C-alpha cells in the first residue's frame, strides 16, 4: 500500500525559531500534497495545497509567510513554520495524492510541534 | 461557505450495540470520503462514495451517499472494541480539486 512518512515525528523548539517538517511519499509519486493542522480532539483543518513545481495554495486565514511550503519533487513537500510561537503548537499532518490515480489521499503519521 | 457538519461529536456504546454517525454538507458534494483515526494516530482512509444514492459495505460498516449528494451516514453494526476511534467524513466539493473539507468527527467509545 501507499506509504507517506513525516519527519520529525515530534519537535520541541523555543519561541522565535523556525521548524521544518518533511512529508515524503515513499512508494509513489504525488503531484499534490496537502498540509493539515489538528488541535487536540478537534478535526483536521486544511492549511494549504502543495503542487509540485508551483506555488502552494493557502486556505483563507493561513499566513503564507508564516507557513512556508515547498514541493520540490514528486515525493517531497516541506512545511516550515517560521518564527514559531506557542500558539503554533499543534499536530501537523500531511497527505499525498498519488499522481494519476483516484481521489484517495494517504496521510502521514503527523508531526507534534511544541513551541516553548 | 463550504462546510461539512458531522454529528454526534461523541458516542458511547456497549459492545454489541449499533452506532451511526451522520455527515451533512452545505452544498452538493463531488464525492465524500470516510477516515478513521485511532487515538494518537493519523487518519486512515476507509472508503469513498461518488454516486448519488450509493451504498457500500465493509464487513460491519455500511456507508451511504444521499440522493442529493449532500449527506452521508456511516453505520456500524454490533460494535466491537476495535471500532474505537474518531470517524471523520470529508467532502470534496465540485471544482474543489481533490481538496478535502473535514467534518468535526465523531469519537466512538465502546465499553466491553
Amino acid at each position: 500500500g501507499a506509504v507517506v512518512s513525516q519527519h520529525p515525528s515530534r519537535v520541541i523548539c523555543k519561541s522565535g525559531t523556525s521548524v521544518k517538517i518533511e512529508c515524503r511519499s515513499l512508494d509513489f509519486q504525488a503531484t499534490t500534497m496537502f498540509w493539515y493542522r489538528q488541535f487536540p480532539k478537534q478535526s483536521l483543518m486544511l492549511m494549504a495545497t502543495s503542487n509540485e513545481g508551483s506555488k502552494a495554495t493557502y486556505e483563507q486565514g493561513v499566513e503564507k509567510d508564516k507557513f512556508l511550503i515547498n514541493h520540490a519533487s514528486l515525493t517531497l513537500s516541506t512545511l516550515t513554520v517560521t518564527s514559531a510561537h506557542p500558539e503554533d503548537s499543534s499536530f501537523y499532518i500531511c497527505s499525498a495524492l498519488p499522481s494519476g490515480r483516484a481521489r484517495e489521499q494517504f496521510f502521514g503519521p503527523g508531526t507534534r510541534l511544541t513551541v516553548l | 461557505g463550504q462546510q461539512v457538519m458531522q454529528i454526534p461529536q461523541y458516542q458511547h456504546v456497549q459492545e454489541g450495540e449499533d452506532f451511526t454517525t451522520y455527515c451533512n454538507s452545505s452544498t452538493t458534494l463531488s464525492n465524500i470520503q470516510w477516515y478513521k483515526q485511532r487515538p494518537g494516530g493519523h487518519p486512515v482512509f476507509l472508503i469513498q462514495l461518488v454516486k448519488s444514492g450509493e451504498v457500500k459495505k465493509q464487513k460491519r460498516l455500511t456507508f451511504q451517499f444521499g440522493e442529493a449528494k449532500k449527506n452521508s451516514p456511516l453505520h456500524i453494526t454490533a460494535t466491537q472494541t476495535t471500532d474505537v476511534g474518531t470517524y471523520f467524513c470529508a467532502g470534496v466539493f465540485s471544482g474543489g480539486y481533490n481538496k478535502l473539507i473535514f467534518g468535526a468527527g465523531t469519537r466512538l467509545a465502546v465499553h466491553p
Side-chain angles (χ1 to χ4, degrees), chain A residues 12-67:
Chain A
I12 300 173
C13 69
K14 292 183 179 179
S15 188
T17 60
S18 294
V19 175
K20 180 186 280 190
I21 302 170
E22 292 185 349
C23 177
R24 291 181 186 274
S25 56
L26 298 185
D27 49 3
F28 65 97
Q29 293 185 332
T31 307
T32 303
M33 291 185 175
F34 300 90
W35 286 96
Y36 297 86
R37 184 173 180 175
Q38 187 176 34
F39 290 106
K41 297 183 181 181
Q42 293 192 24
S43 187
L44 283 79
M45 184 196 79
L46 179 65
M47 298 175 66
T49 303
S50 168
N51 294 297
E52 187 265 336
S54 64
K55 290 183 179 180
T57 304
Y58 290 81
E59 294 300 302
Q60 194 172 9
V62 179
E63 299 175 58
K64 61 181 180 181
D65 295 330
K66 172 78 173 174
F67 299 99

Side-chain angles (χ1 to χ4, degrees), chain A residues 38 41 43 46 103 105 108, chain B residues 31 37 98-99 103 107:
Chain A
Q38 187 176 34
K41 297 183 181 181
S43 187
L46 179 65
R103 305 173 184 99
Q105 293 182 23
Chain B
N31 70 81
Q37 185 175 24
N98 299 304
K99 188 168 74 173
R107 190 177 316 153

Side-chain angles (χ1 to χ4, degrees), chain B:
Chain B
Q2 296 169 338
Q3 292 184 20
V4 175
M5 291 139 300
Q6 197 174 349
I7 57 170
Q9 222 175 352
Y10 305 98
Q11 186 79 55
H12 300 254
V13 298
Q14 236 14 74
E15 189 172 22
E17 290 181 342
D18 293 353
F19 158 76
T20 304
T21 172
Y22 300 88
C23 188
N24 290 284
S25 165
S26 53
T27 56
T28 301
L29 296 166
S30 173
N31 70 81
I32 193 159
Q33 301 178 22
W34 283 92
Y35 291 81
K36 178 182 178 181
Q37 185 175 24
R38 293 182 183 274
H42 62 279
V44 174
F45 176 82
L46 293 177
I47 209 157
Q48 175 182 269
L49 303 168
V50 180
K51 298 176 182 176
S52 168
E54 191 169 16
V55 179
K56 288 188 177 180
K57 292 191 175 184
Q58 288 180 352
K59 296 182 181 179
R60 294 176 293 102
L61 278 63
T62 302
F63 305 84
Q64 297 182 55
F65 203 8
E67 294 291 339
K69 299 183 71 173
K70 294 172 71 172
N71 69 291
S72 175
L74 157 60
H75 182 79
I76 302 179
T77 305
T79 54
Q80 299 175 1
T81 54
T82 52
D83 295 326
V84 165
T86 301
Y87 293 84
F88 290 101
C89 63
V92 176
F93 291 86
S94 298
Y97 303 103
N98 299 304
K99 188 168 74 173
L100 288 173
I101 305 299
F102 277 79
T106 297
R107 190 177 316 153
L108 174 63
V110 180
H111 301 292

